[in-house]
Amino acid sequence: MPREAREFVQSATANQPYFTHQWGGDALTEPLAIVEGYNSYFSFSRNRSGYSGVATFCKDNATPVAAEEGLSGLFATQNGSVGCYGNMDEFTQEELRALDSEGRALLTQHKIRTWEGKERILTLINVYCPHADPGRPERLVFKMRFYRLLQIRAEALLAAGSHVIILGDLNTAHRPIDHWDAVNLECFEEDPGRKWMDSLLSNLGCQSASHVGPFIDSYRCFQPKQEGAFTCWSAVTGARHLNYGSRLDYVLGDRTLVIDTFQASFLLPEVMGSDHCPVGAVLSVSSVPAKQCPPLCTRFLPEFAGTQLKILRFLVPLEQSPVLEQSVLQHNNQTRVQTCQNKAQVHSTRPRPSQAGSGRGQKNLKSYFQPSPNCPQASPDIELPSPPLMSTLMTPKTSEEEAVVKVVKGRAKASEAKDEKEVRTSFWKSVLAGPLRTPLCGGHREPCVMRTVKKPGPNLGRRFYMCARPRGPPTDPSSRCNFFLWSRPS
C-alpha cells in the first residue's frame, strides 16, 4: 500500500482543493484512485516497481485545466499538457528521460480568482526529489540534475505569467535550524543541495530579504525562528518520539503569490502514517474549476473508466451458419474415427500377457537380482544345513556361568540407560535454556536491542547489541546512549 499523504495546499475559501501525495508503490486500486468529490493524477516509476511516485488529488471545484507527468515534457500528452519547458539544451534526451522515468514530478494547472476578482493561472509542481545516498556518488549527481531541471521548468512557468507552487519532499534540510544535528555535521553550509536552495529562495522572510530568489519558503515566512519544526524522522531508530529529525518537506511559492495570498503555513507532526508528516498552507484565493478533467486524470484509465475488456468478453459463443456447423460436425466425426483407429493401432503393438515373462517382454522382478560371484551357487538337489539357533549358542553350561552372564547383561543395560538419560537431559537443557541473556546498556543499565548490519562490507549480516531507547539529542539523558556490543566475536 502507498504511504500516507505528506503535503497538501489548502485554500481559505475551499476546504482542501489540492491534495498531493508522496507515492511509494504502483499498486493502484479503485478505492484509492477514484475518491468521491476528487479527481486524481498519478505518476509512477517506469524503471522500478514500488520505488517512487507522486499523486495529486483535486476537489471537483478545483478541477485543473491541464495536468502533466514529469518536468521535461517527454511524457506529456498532446492534449491537456501544461507546457512552458524553458531552455533545456544542457540536457541530453537520454538524461531527460532518466530524470523523469522515476515518477518524481507531477504538474497540475489551475485557474484561480484573487480577492480582487482577478483571474490568474496557478501551477502546482508536486515533487519527490531524489535522495543522495552516500554509498552511491552517482545518485548525488542525479539529485542535482533533477534540482536543475526543476528550477528551469519553474522559472519558465513564472516567465509565462503563471503563479507557481513547488511542494513536496525536497530531500534537503535548508538551514541549520531545519536539522537537529546540524552543528555536528561537517561542512553543513557547503552541501550542494543547500546551495541550490539558497539560489532558489529569498532568504530571511518575505519582505526584507538579503537574497531575493524567485521563491519563498512559506513556513519560514510565517515561522522564521521556530525550532524543532521537523517533518521527517528515522523510523528505524524511533527518533520521532524525541523529535530528533529534519525538515525535508516544503510548500514553496513565488514571491508575489506568497506575499499577496498566503495566510498561513503549517506542519502536522501529530499525523502518523510514515516517516514523514504532512505540511500545508492556506491561500486567500478561490478556484475556478475546469469544465472537464485533463486526459491524465485517473478516472480515464481503462481499468477505472469501464472501457477495459474482460476475458469473458472473448468467451461468448458466436452464431454460425448451418453450412459452417455441418462442416465442423463432419470434421469432428472424422477426427473421432481417426482417434479410434490410432488407439487400435497402439493397442496392437503392446506385448501380450503371455510375453510378459519372456526376454522380449517385460522382465521378471527376480531377474534383476544376480548371485554374488564370491558366493558358491547351491545346486537345487543339495539341501544346505539350517543355521544353529541363537538360543543354543548362548545357553551356559553351568549355573555359575549363567549367573555371570546375567550380571554382565544387567550392567550393560544399566550403563546404556544411564547414557541415554544423560543425553536426553543435556538436550532438553540446551533447548529450554533459551537464548543468551541480553546485555544491559552502559548508559541506562537497561536491556539492549539486537540489530543486524545491512551495510555492504565485511560485517554485513553480523548482529550486535545497542541501547533500546529512541535516538535523540546527545544532551538529552532520556535518548539512546552509545553502547555497542557484537553478539558474537568475529
Side-chain angles (χ1 to χ4, degrees):
M1 293 298 293
R3 288 180 283 180
E4 293 294 326
R6 292 183 183 169
E7 302 83 20
F8 60 86
V9 177
Q10 184 175 346
S11 168
T13 57
N15 186 26
Q16 294 186 16
Y18 320 114
F19 185 92
T20 71
H21 186 97
Q22 304 314 131
W23 185 260
D26 52 5
L28 188 59
T29 59
E30 185 169 349
L32 181 65
I34 309 299
V35 180
E36 183 68 25
Y38 286 83
N39 48 94
S40 61
Y41 307 85
F42 286 77
S43 179
F44 304 111
S45 173
R46 287 167 165 77
N47 301 329
R48 183 175 167 187
S49 178
Y51 175 62
S52 56
V54 291
T56 300
F57 291 79
C58 304
K59 263 197 170 181
D60 290 339
N61 60 5
T63 299
V65 296
E68 182 180 325
E69 278 190 271
L71 298 171
S72 66
L74 294 179
F75 298 143
T77 57
Q78 293 182 354
N79 299 324
S81 61
V82 174
C84 300
Y85 302 102
N87 187 356
M88 299 182 181
D89 293 342
E90 61 185 271
F91 297 90
T92 64
Q93 290 293 304
E94 292 77 12
E95 189 177 14
L96 291 174
R97 186 169 297 276
L99 290 170
D100 272 348
S101 292
E102 293 189 0
R104 294 186 175 276
L106 186 63
L107 284 72
T108 54
Q109 198 166 67
H110 308 259
K111 283 186 178 181
I112 60 172
R113 184 178 291 111
T114 65
W115 63 274
E116 299 172 342
K118 298 180 180 179
E119 287 193 3
R120 300 295 303 271
I121 294 296
L122 170 63
T123 305
L124 293 176
I125 307 180
N126 178 15
V127 294
Y128 178 19
C129 296
H131 169 67
D133 188 349
R136 299 172 61 191
E138 71 276 7
R139 291 303 291 179
L140 176 59
V141 177
F142 186 88
K143 177 179 180 177
M144 297 310 301
R145 295 299 280 170
F146 185 89
Y147 279 161
R148 176 60 181 157
L149 182 61
L150 172 60
Q151 185 170 0
I152 290 176
R153 184 71 187 275
E155 291 178 350
L157 288 165
L158 286 176
S162 173
H163 285 302
V164 176
I165 290 179
I166 302 173
L167 74 168
D169 183 357
L170 295 187
N171 250 319
T172 295
H174 184 209
R175 292 298 181 192
I177 194 175
D178 299 319
H179 197 291
W180 184 237
D181 202 25
V183 178
N184 297 322
L185 294 180
E186 185 178 357
C187 301
F188 182 87
E189 301 285 352
E190 300 302 317
D191 179 78
R194 296 183 179 93
K195 286 188 173 183
W196 173 79
M197 292 191 72
D198 288 340
S199 66
L200 184 72
L201 300 177
S202 293
N203 193 16
L204 302 176
C206 301
Q207 304 289 349
S208 58
S210 60
H211 170 73
V212 182
F215 289 89
I216 289 176
D217 178 357
S218 64
Y219 183 80
R220 286 302 171 200
C221 178
F222 292 95
Q223 305 289 342
K225 297 181 180 180
Q226 180 63 50
E227 297 182 354
F230 305 135
T231 66
C232 180
W233 307 263
S234 172
V236 176
T237 63
R240 193 167 187 169
H241 296 284
L242 298 175
N243 197 26
Y244 190 76
S246 57
R247 191 167 71 98
L248 305 181
D249 305 271
Y250 300 81
V251 178
L252 311 179
D254 65 84
R255 286 182 53 83
T256 303
L257 183 68
V258 174
I259 293 173
D260 293 345
T261 68
F262 271 60
Q263 293 188 341
S265 186
F266 52 87
L267 317 179
L268 298 175
E270 69 279 1
V271 178
M272 309 299 290
S274 79
D275 56 342
H276 289 247
C277 77
V279 302
V282 179
L283 287 71
S284 59
V285 298
S286 59
S287 301
V288 181
K291 294 182 179 180
Q292 185 177 359
C293 296
L296 187 62
C297 183
T298 311
R299 67 178 58 170
F300 296 139
L301 294 177
E303 56 265 39
F304 303 125
T307 58
Q308 187 179 39
L309 296 179
K310 297 182 179 181
I311 192 171
L312 293 177
R313 171 64 180 84
F314 301 97
L315 300 179
V316 177
L318 302 178
E319 295 183 359
Q320 297 177 346
S321 63
V323 177
L324 179 61
E325 291 180 356
Q326 184 178 4
S327 174
V328 172
L329 180 61
Q330 292 177 356
H331 175 72
N332 290 342
N333 290 337
Q334 293 176 1
T335 304
R336 190 177 297 109
V337 172
Q338 184 66 29
T339 303
C340 294
Q341 292 176 354
N342 291 340
K343 287 184 178 179
Q345 183 178 2
V346 171
H347 179 73
S348 64
T349 59
R350 294 179 180 176
R352 298 178 182 177
S354 59
Q355 299 174 343
S358 64
R360 291 174 297 176
Q362 186 179 12
K363 293 184 179 180
N364 191 284
L365 183 62
K366 294 182 180 179
S367 64
Y368 290 95
F369 296 91
Q370 300 295 335
S372 174
N374 298 329
C375 180
Q377 217 172 342
S379 173
D381 298 334
I382 301 176
E383 185 176 354
L384 296 176
S386 60
L389 297 176
M390 188 63 66
S391 59
T392 306
L393 296 176
M394 295 299 295
T395 302
K397 298 180 179 179
T398 63
S399 59
E400 183 179 354
E401 293 177 356
E402 184 178 359
V404 172
V405 171
K406 288 182 178 180
V407 171
V408 173
K409 287 183 177 181
R411 290 180 177 177
K413 289 182 178 180
S415 178
E416 291 176 1
K418 183 178 180 181
D419 294 342
E420 184 178 359
K421 183 178 180 180
E422 290 179 354
V423 170
R424 290 182 178 179
T425 302
S426 175
F427 170 76
W428 285 111
K429 280 184 178 181
S430 63
V431 172
L432 299 177
L436 297 177
R437 186 176 180 181
T438 303
L440 304 180
C441 67
H444 311 99
R445 305 305 298 170
E446 296 174 352
C448 293
V449 64
M450 179 180 286
R451 302 293 187 194
T452 303
V453 178
K454 296 183 179 180
K455 183 178 180 181
N459 293 321
L460 179 64
R462 290 189 65 186
R463 295 187 176 185
F464 60 92
Y465 291 100
M466 62 185 303
C467 180
R469 292 198 179 193
R471 188 180 179 186
T475 56
D476 189 345
S478 63
S479 64
R480 173 186 300 172
C481 65
N482 295 326
F483 181 83
F484 179 89
L485 177 68
W486 291 113
S487 62
R488 291 182 180 178
S490 59

